[in-house]
Amino acid sequence: MKFIKWLKDIGKEDVALFGGKNASLGELYRNLSSKGIRIPNGFAISAEAYKFFIKSAGIENEIKKTLQSLKKENLKELKEKGEYVRRLILNADLPDELVKEIKEAYRKLEEIYGKNVDVAVRSSATAEDLPTASFAGQYDTYLNIRGEKKLMEAIKKCYSSLFTNRAISYREDHGFSHFDIYLSIGIQKMVRADLACSGVIFTIDPETGFKNSIYITGSWGLGELVVRGAVNPDGFYVFKPTLEKGYKAIIEKKLGIKNKMLVYGKNGIEEKEVPEEMRNKFILNDDEILQLAKWALEIEKHYGMPMDIEWAKDGLSNELYITQARPETVHSKGSQLFVYKLKERGEIIVEGEAIGNKIGAGKARIVKSIDDIDEFNEGDVLVTEMTDPDWEPIMKKASAIVTDKGGRTCHAAIVSRELGIPAVVGTKNATSIIKNGEEITVDCSEGVGRVYRGILKFEKEEISYDSLPETRTKIMMNIAIPEKAYLLAQIPNDGVGLARVEFIISSHIGIHPMALVEYEKLKSIDDEKIRRIVEEIDRRTKLYEDKKEFYVDKLAMGIAKIASAFYPSDVIVRFSDFKTNEYASLIGGEIYEPEESNPMLGWRGASRYYDEKFKEAFGLECKAIKKVREEMGLKNVKVMIPFCRTPEEGIKVIKVMEEFGIDREDIEIYVMAEVPSNVILAEEFAKIFDGFSIGSNDLTQLTLGIDRDSNLIAHLFDERDEAVKQMISKIIKVAKKYGRNVGICGQAPSDFPDFVEFLVREGVNSISLNPDAIVKTKMLVGKIESAIS
């Protein structure tokens, strides 16, 4: 055949003839089918066929003449001229020679799959899926095409999509000539995802460029709604290093809002509502998630670069397929790390998924239809239901984007990353709550996307790592929010000295652990207040029959996200240190928490863990740690006991940990040195624990007898007080005597350079800091170590 090749005969070297998409598809089919990766069969029509068609139809000069004088900034002119060129193509006849070849190839596909085989007809441009420009969604795809007549129509529609408004505008912006890019078309057997599910895989975190995780996302039905952002899909993270070692390395699972799906209809494809029971369950089971992740890893290794992959599950065979693979185009460019930080707070209007880590602000411009794009001004914030490639001419004018629908791989998310602007997607109701023309701030700097009323002050700091010294003292990080871990881990560090679980418990779980332990008992109580608590537990834990597993899973995944970000460096996870008033604020908490006049000095830390009133709840934390280390393979996790008042308490806690399956010989256990008794009896504690972490905040409070929450005596609170420094000096000396690690994770080193010098001179092993203090402190420690060596 002159114009057609089968996928098995195409490879990555054929981009000039078959475009980026088809060349990559052929590369996959030819090289990875033998490794068990299923790719649907098909054929491709070469770019030469497109040139032949345009010349045979006699429309080439008319297209050139129409576009030569185009001013892309004039959206009205862009719309009119684009429409005229597309009409020229659609009204032209395909050459007989080309039609004959297409029919012959389609009939061969029918011999494999049956009469009137259903196919996907995909556009593949000769400048597409490049590492520097994705052309994402620029050209059209048509699904569930059956029969020769429909196939010819779809092919001409694909050819005309080379001149959509968005494609013309995109080429102008990226310096591509309209007449140096040609279209190949792929014809591929459809995967019956309309009876199952489909989605996208990134072999790199799409927000931060973190290279060690695979992100899988998807929804019910055919994949177009995921790509367009019409649904908020399910999302799954899999950690590459431990996946390769054979662990079940699923470190995060997030249920989406999957209310619509695309299915086969009488005239091609139609949209329908997703039944309630399907909305409330994940589209993939764990084995399927791991299968896709392993395939993605193989594909990435074959291409030698981060990849953006499309997948589908066939509802007839229940088999998974890879339908496309292309280079990931945002983080492969490389970027300097900038840290954005809000300097003031305001009223939160809506929340959603944060895309990127930036902050943007401007006047909200609510655009409900592409017909209204003329009203959009440079620097406005685009607020809309969702975007598709037709919106790109105005998206590049926006200071930020906010959508009602969509997930992290939707069109708005992909384009905002490429444009380098913040986006908050999947807010559900931004277009109905935000007022047109009002000033808003779009904040993606904290891992959750928030839209604030008004223009808030923020700062942008470029983190420079030039000339950072190597230091004997480990410079570690304090971290609490899993969503920020992948970004913060890019700051040079020696691991995590304090991973707090309180944020995970309050934000990701929100329920008192004992209310989950005693769920069946609560269900049987005939009381209106208890009934409301049970209803809220049911709402939050709808995926779990065993409510305790909800707590274990959520806590384990939050810890795993942090541990994976810093792997293989140590991540020291402090067990929960909520006070009674803080636990009481969780759902069901008032049932289990006593009222204390001074919770700071009350029932907290170690004293809870062996108490029969809380022991089962602590057991859930132990099971979460066990899951992270043994199931997910994140052995870099160590644990720390807070507020352990006596050595006897330490022994009791370790015994309880063993009861819940944690092998004392298999894990390092640290103790917080924050109570004066920890220092006075340091030698006894050193015989029980593997290391100390100095909590200078509580140690200062209890050494000086100061309530650090009291404004009346706040001026007396100073970690640099001589009494506190003597306490710290003693704990460091004892730790060294017994060969134990000793670090500090309190606030003081982040604030006071002279305190850092004191710690280094005393010989502390590690200093754990707030992320924004890491670089300056590492520089300082380097100078101090040079001075004393």
Side-chain angles (χ1 to χ4, degrees):
M1 286 186 177
K2 183 178 176 184
F3 297 114
I4 286 174
K5 272 191 181 181
W6 289 82
L7 291 181
K8 67 181 177 62
D9 300 319
I10 301 171
K12 61 185 177 185
E13 67 279 3
D14 294 316
V15 172
L17 262 182
F18 291 97
K21 195 176 292 180
N22 287 335
S24 185
L25 203 50
E27 181 74 14
L28 280 176
Y29 193 93
R30 189 167 70 182
N31 295 286
L32 295 175
S33 296
S34 60
K35 296 197 172 181
I37 299 176
R38 283 185 288 273
I39 298 130
N41 199 1
F43 59 90
I45 306 167
S46 74
E48 290 301 316
Y50 165 78
K51 296 181 196 175
F52 179 51
F53 162 53
I54 295 297
K55 280 187 177 154
S56 299
I59 57 177
E60 186 177 22
N61 289 335
E62 185 64 15
I63 293 172
K64 284 184 177 177
K65 185 177 144 191
T66 303
L67 295 180
Q68 259 169 359
S69 59
L70 173 72
K71 294 184 178 66
K72 68 180 175 68
E73 295 80 15
N74 185 332
L75 297 178
K76 187 169 179 286
E77 184 185 358
L78 175 65
K79 186 177 176 183
E80 288 171 356
K81 291 193 171 182
E83 197 175 310
Y84 177 69
V85 171
R86 292 194 297 277
R87 202 161 51 246
L88 281 175
I89 293 170
L90 290 171
N91 290 336
D93 292 325
L94 292 170
D96 291 342
E97 187 181 347
L98 178 57
V99 169
K100 184 184 173 189
E101 283 197 22
I102 294 167
K103 285 182 176 179
E104 187 182 331
Y106 183 69
R107 285 166 191 166
K108 281 188 181 175
L109 209 56
E110 285 182 314
E111 288 173 18
I112 301 169
Y113 294 111
K115 187 72 177 164
N116 282 338
V117 57
D118 52 333
V119 294
V121 182
R122 303 183 188 279
S123 304
S124 176
T126 53
E128 181 180 48
D129 297 341
L130 305 174
T132 53
S134 70
F135 287 80
Q138 295 299 322
Y139 312 117
D140 288 346
T141 289
Y142 295 91
L143 305 176
N144 188 22
I145 301 300
R146 294 172 182 270
E148 293 172 1
K149 185 184 175 192
K150 293 280 186 189
L151 179 58
M152 300 305 165
E153 290 172 2
I155 287 167
K156 279 209 294 182
K157 285 179 183 175
C158 284
Y159 283 151
S160 75
S161 75
L162 194 56
F163 296 98
T164 56
N165 306 343
R166 74 220 179 202
I168 295 167
S169 178
Y170 191 93
R171 286 194 294 271
E172 294 262 348
D173 288 340
H174 287 78
F176 290 93
S177 164
H178 300 299
F179 312 107
D180 291 339
I181 294 178
Y182 309 105
L183 210 67
S184 165
I185 293 175
I187 317 291
Q188 190 182 22
K189 169 69 177 86
M190 283 285 292
V191 177
R192 289 301 303 271
D194 64 306
L195 300 173
C197 54
S198 56
V200 180
I201 307 169
F202 284 93
T203 64
I204 187 172
D205 178 46
E207 299 314 320
T208 63
F210 179 70
K211 289 183 169 60
N212 272 348
S213 273
I214 292 165
Y215 181 61
I216 302 169
T217 184
S219 190
W220 298 115
L222 301 170
E224 297 304 300
L225 292 184
V226 175
V227 176
R228 274 167 36 202
V231 292
N232 298 349
D234 292 347
F236 313 100
Y237 275 101
V238 182
F239 188 54
K240 292 179 193 174
T242 56
L243 176 71
E244 289 187 282
K245 290 179 180 178
Y247 288 98
K248 189 177 175 181
I250 303 168
I251 59 171
E252 184 173 297
K253 292 163 73 173
K254 189 172 181 181
L255 189 70
I257 303 166
K258 310 175 292 289
N259 54 341
K260 293 178 182 176
M261 63 191 294
L262 283 184
V263 297
Y264 282 15
K266 289 179 183 175
N267 299 306
I269 300 298
E270 64 182 35
E271 195 175 285
K272 77 167 195 177
E273 292 289 314
V274 175
E276 188 68 29
E277 67 274 12
M278 288 174 67
R279 295 183 196 188
N280 293 327
K281 67 178 184 179
F282 288 117
I283 55 168
L284 297 169
N285 62 39
D286 287 0
D287 288 341
E288 290 169 331
I289 294 165
L290 293 169
Q291 180 66 74
L292 286 174
K294 287 171 185 173
W295 284 358
L297 209 50
E298 285 292 337
I299 292 168
E300 182 182 61
K301 283 178 182 173
H302 177 76
Y303 281 85
M305 64 182 73
M307 298 296 287
D308 172 355
I309 301 162
E310 291 184 19
W311 65 271
K313 181 180 176 181
D314 192 301
L316 296 175
S317 66
N318 283 325
E319 291 180 325
L320 294 165
Y321 287 85
I322 298 299
T323 57
Q324 281 190 56
R326 61 180 74 86
E328 191 275 343
T329 57
V330 176
H331 294 289
S332 57
K333 295 176 187 177
S335 60
Q336 187 67 34
L337 180 64
F338 291 95
V339 175
Y340 287 71
K341 188 187 292 184
L342 272 182
K343 296 190 78 176
E344 55 183 341
R345 299 283 168 173
E347 177 194 346
I348 296 172
I349 311 174
V350 289
E351 292 188 350
E353 290 262 18
I355 305 302
N357 67 307
K358 297 181 178 178
I359 300 173
K363 284 186 179 176
R365 189 65 56 199
I366 297 171
V367 184
K368 296 261 177 110
S369 163
I370 193 65
D371 297 329
D372 302 327
I373 63 174
D374 295 345
E375 299 168 14
F376 196 84
N377 300 314
E378 190 86 34
D380 285 348
V381 176
L382 174 61
V383 182
T384 187
E385 189 177 357
M386 61 185 186
T387 68
D388 62 36
D390 287 329
W391 291 70
E392 287 179 28
I394 65 167
M395 292 172 80
K396 62 186 178 231
K397 292 182 177 180
S399 60
I401 297 168
V402 181
T403 69
D404 289 346
K405 299 178 180 178
R408 298 177 70 189
T409 55
C410 73
H411 178 266
I414 290 168
V415 173
S416 66
R417 288 188 199 105
E418 197 161 320
L419 294 172
I421 58 173
V424 177
V425 301
T427 63
K428 300 180 192 172
N429 54 4
T431 53
S432 57
I433 291 182
I434 296 172
K435 292 172 185 166
N436 198 41
E438 78 169 310
E439 293 184 328
I440 59 173
T441 300
V442 178
D443 176 24
C444 295
S445 68
E446 296 184 335
V448 177
R450 296 188 178 98
V451 180
Y452 291 92
R453 207 176 300 284
I455 305 284
L456 302 181
K457 291 177 184 171
F458 65 90
E459 61 184 13
K460 170 186 172 185
E461 180 188 356
E462 181 176 343
I463 304 292
S464 175
Y465 307 139
D466 296 341
S467 307
L468 271 183
E470 288 294 319
T471 58
R472 293 188 300 277
T473 310
K474 287 185 177 180
I475 305 300
M476 303 178 85
M477 192 179 295
N478 298 335
I479 191 166
I481 303 174
E483 290 85 352
K484 296 185 75 171
Y486 285 171
L487 180 69
L488 295 176
Q490 295 176 36
I491 300 170
N493 67 83
D494 296 308
V496 174
L498 172 63
R500 304 182 187 93
V501 300
E502 289 78 22
F503 177 86
I504 302 168
I505 294 169
S506 61
S507 297
H508 293 224
I509 298 170
I511 305 166
H512 194 287
M514 285 307 297
L516 296 169
V517 169
E518 297 191 346
Y519 171 76
E520 294 299 330
K521 178 182 170 184
L522 293 180
K523 266 174 69 177
S524 67
I525 297 172
D526 186 16
D527 176 86
E528 182 59 31
K529 187 172 86 170
I530 301 292
R531 200 157 35 246
R532 283 199 299 272
I533 290 169
V534 169
E535 284 172 1
E536 184 59 21
I537 291 173
D538 286 341
R539 188 185 71 79
R540 291 181 179 231
T541 64
K542 57 192 171 189
L543 293 176
Y544 292 83
E545 201 169 317
D546 183 344
K547 304 306 179 184
K548 298 190 292 292
E549 286 305 308
F550 167 77
Y551 195 94
V552 173
D553 274 5
K554 289 290 184 184
L555 187 55
M557 286 178 185
I559 292 168
K561 191 81 178 280
I562 295 170
S564 65
F566 293 85
Y567 185 89
S569 297
D570 288 350
V571 171
I572 302 171
V573 177
R574 185 181 70 186
F575 283 119
S576 63
D577 193 24
F578 275 141
K579 299 153 195 75
T580 49
N581 58 323
E582 292 165 335
Y583 262 124
S585 67
L586 299 174
I587 293 159
E590 68 269 32
I591 303 170
Y592 298 100
E593 296 299 323
E595 281 194 31
E596 294 185 292
S597 56
N598 192 345
M600 184 80 80
L601 297 180
W603 193 37
R604 61 179 284 203
S607 61
R608 279 183 171 266
Y609 305 156
Y610 57 85
D611 190 313
E612 291 302 325
K613 295 189 293 296
F614 193 80
K615 182 178 172 182
E616 290 295 319
F618 178 62
L620 301 183
E621 294 185 43
C622 294
K623 287 176 181 176
I625 292 292
K626 185 177 168 71
K627 182 168 187 165
V628 169
R629 285 175 53 85
E630 295 179 14
E631 185 176 304
M632 301 177 187
L634 291 159
K635 299 279 190 179
N636 59 323
V637 166
K638 302 176 178 183
V639 292
M640 183 155 63
I641 312 298
F643 228 77
C644 185
R645 294 171 169 99
T646 68
E648 290 73 26
E649 274 202 317
I651 293 166
K652 285 180 182 178
V653 171
I654 290 169
K655 186 181 174 188
V656 173
M657 289 170 64
E658 289 174 334
E659 282 179 41
F660 287 107
I662 293 182
D663 182 354
R664 176 67 183 94
E665 300 305 313
D666 188 47
I667 188 170
E668 287 188 30
I669 304 174
Y670 283 60
V671 66
M672 290 285 288
E674 56 190 340
V675 181
S677 60
N678 300 143
V679 181
I680 296 163
L681 298 176
E683 298 210 7
E684 297 306 311
F685 281 101
K687 294 170 187 174
I688 300 165
F689 293 102
D690 299 297
F692 296 91
S693 183
I694 301 162
S696 59
N697 297 352
D698 271 345
L699 187 60
T700 302
Q701 174 177 237
L702 295 171
T703 300
L704 299 179
I706 288 172
D707 177 359
R708 59 187 168 103
D709 290 338
S710 170
N711 290 329
L712 296 172
I713 49 173
H715 62 284
L716 292 171
F717 186 92
D718 189 351
E719 298 96 323
R720 297 168 296 173
D721 185 277
E722 189 57 34
V724 179
K725 286 167 75 174
Q726 284 191 30
M727 286 278 192
I728 292 171
S729 181
K730 180 180 176 182
I731 204 83
I732 293 172
K733 284 183 174 66
V734 172
K736 289 188 170 302
K737 176 182 173 182
Y738 282 85
R740 301 291 186 246
N741 266 317
V742 59
I744 185 166
C745 60
Q747 180 64 30
S750 295
D751 294 341
F752 306 121
D754 58 328
F755 193 72
V756 172
E757 182 167 357
F758 159 71
L759 292 168
V760 173
R761 288 185 180 278
E762 288 294 320
V764 76
N765 295 121
S766 64
I767 301 173
S768 196
L769 301 141
N770 298 335
D772 58 0
I774 295 266
V775 172
K776 68 178 182 183
T777 306
K778 196 168 181 67
M779 296 288 286
L780 175 62
V781 169
K783 288 178 186 174
I784 296 165
E785 287 181 348
S786 294
I788 62 177
S789 60

